[in-house]
Amino acid sequence: MTILTPLHNLLSPRGVSCLTCGKVISMAVRGYPELCQSCYAAIPWIVNPRCGTCGRPVGCPDCSRHGQSSRGFILNRSAVSYNATMREWLGQYKFRGHEAYGPVLSRMMGWAMKRMLRELASGKKGASVQFDAVTFVPISATRLAERGFNQAEWLARGAAATGNVPLLPLLERTRHTEKQSFKNRHERLHDMEGLFGFLPDAVERLESVVSAPQPLSWLDSSFLFRRRKGEGKNGSLSNLSETPLKLLLIDDVYTTGSTVDACSVVLLKVCSLLGRKGEVYCLTWARS
Ligand SMILES: [Zn+2]
Ligand SMILES: [Zn+2]
């Protein structure tokens, strides 16, 4: 799978039809040789998220209802709004096994990843962010067997490649649940309880990619002061100087946020088992 399109792909060979509408492509779209101009133009990119927490392009009652503090993740950003067209594309890929959509959706994730990194670096939410690892929402073994792939993992590959961040499977789904789309908000939240856990080797996997414990900064005078007075938090050297591990969690669709929230809580636990604080950011392909 390529994220960048070689120049020669821009000159569409005669007779190539658009992946989504089937019409012959007269002029290729830069970066998306599978699509015709009008299908590409129909992508509802989220260029300006209105809600700083969940990344919705419109005013957001959900985040004000829950309050930011109750969430396991810092924020979510999505590539596109989940309209009827995007629902159709994802359905083609996920349920009808139309594999050619995979690279397109993955490239869209790369676009969203770039935007997210730029936004985080712009100072609105603090200094630039370097993620330690990218991971993804798991599907059940039953679902994996019937579908043959986890769409969130493929989307995660696009984000990981763009950000040059290691991609790590860390989570597992502890049981099989019915399709979330048929359930109401209350049922979804109830279903989430204990639904996600971490893989047996998650801690080792994460440990293998994070740098060794950071050396104590001797310039941190407040630390030295507390240390002299014996007030170090937990009496530990490392807790005070460490920056949190930053994980990026990927899923296909953000609806209520309950899935990524439940996964974030488990990821924070994995970080704590490594003796580190964690911060989870979410990147989803579509915002419902
Ligand atoms: Zn088309
Ligand atoms: Zn929101």
Side-chain angles (χ1 to χ4, degrees):
M1 181 193 320
T2 57
I3 300 290
L4 299 171
T5 307
L7 193 66
H8 67 262
N9 282 5
L10 296 177
L11 307 167
S12 185
R14 218 170 273 199
V16 170
S17 30
C18 171
L19 174 65
T20 76
C21 73
K23 288 181 193 152
V24 173
I25 300 174
S26 53
M27 202 177 138
V29 178
R30 192 187 170 88
Y32 291 85
E34 305 89 342
L35 305 176
C36 74
Q37 295 272 359
S38 63
C39 288
Y40 179 78
I43 297 175
W45 298 107
I46 299 179
V47 179
N48 291 309
R50 283 263 303 277
C51 179
T53 302
C54 74
R56 234 180 194 175
V58 293
C60 184
D62 285 1
C63 294
S64 38
R65 180 164 57 212
H66 290 293
Q68 225 165 315
S69 58
S70 65
R71 301 212 187 240
F73 58 91
I74 308 267
L75 53 78
N76 170 73
R77 289 294 178 268
S78 308
V80 295
S81 292
Y82 199 41
N83 65 8
T85 307
M86 295 299 101
R87 195 183 303 268
E88 171 63 23
W89 289 18
L90 186 64
Q92 286 286 349
Y93 178 49
K94 219 168 137 172
F95 305 121
R96 267 161 271 164
H98 201 150
E99 282 178 26
Y101 278 87
V104 174
L105 305 192
S106 181
R107 233 174 288 136
M108 291 167 77
M109 286 304 277
W111 175 88
M113 176 73 168
K114 254 186 227 165
R115 283 198 77 86
M116 184 193 215
L117 291 172
R118 206 181 309 147
E119 183 194 347
L120 292 172
S122 74
K124 282 185 190 161
K125 294 267 173 188
S128 79
V129 165
Q130 177 60 50
F131 292 111
D132 293 286
V134 173
T135 193
F136 50 88
V137 172
I139 56 176
S140 69
T142 311
R143 191 78 79 214
L144 189 61
E146 98 199 358
R147 196 176 292 159
F149 65 96
N150 176 359
Q151 73 287 348
E153 179 175 359
W154 279 95
L155 296 171
R157 290 183 191 194
T162 302
N164 197 20
V165 183
L167 175 64
L168 302 180
L170 296 174
L171 301 170
E172 66 178 353
R173 204 173 272 249
T174 55
R175 59 178 188 273
H176 187 65
T177 52
E178 290 314 307
K179 286 196 173 69
Q180 291 287 299
S181 33
F182 301 126
K183 301 193 171 179
N184 66 30
R185 182 182 192 90
H186 178 78
E187 288 168 332
R188 285 177 189 225
L189 292 175
H190 182 75
D191 271 0
M192 287 298 150
E193 284 171 23
L195 181 58
F196 297 102
F198 51 86
L199 292 167
D201 56 354
V203 176
E204 289 74 18
R205 278 189 188 171
L206 186 56
E207 190 171 30
S208 72
V209 299
V210 300
S211 46
Q214 294 170 0
L216 175 66
S217 163
W218 296 105
L219 298 172
D220 185 348
S221 55
S222 67
F223 169 80
L224 290 174
F225 179 71
R226 286 197 298 274
R227 178 84 183 139
R228 266 199 298 274
K229 298 187 73 173
E231 291 170 4
K233 204 172 165 189
N234 306 329
S236 152
L237 282 177
S238 55
N239 281 350
L240 286 164
S241 59
E242 268 176 9
T243 51
L245 292 179
K246 289 186 169 62
L247 304 180
L248 184 66
L249 174 64
I250 308 291
D251 200 8
D252 50 4
V253 182
Y254 183 113
T255 305
T256 62
S258 55
T259 300
V260 285
D261 190 30
C263 288
S264 299
V265 171
V266 177
L267 290 173
L268 293 176
K269 176 125 197 262
V270 175
C271 292
S272 76
L273 289 171
L274 259 180
R276 299 284 298 266
K277 280 185 187 161
E279 284 181 356
V280 180
Y281 293 75
C282 303
L283 192 62
T284 44
W285 177 71
R287 178 68 177 88
S288 181

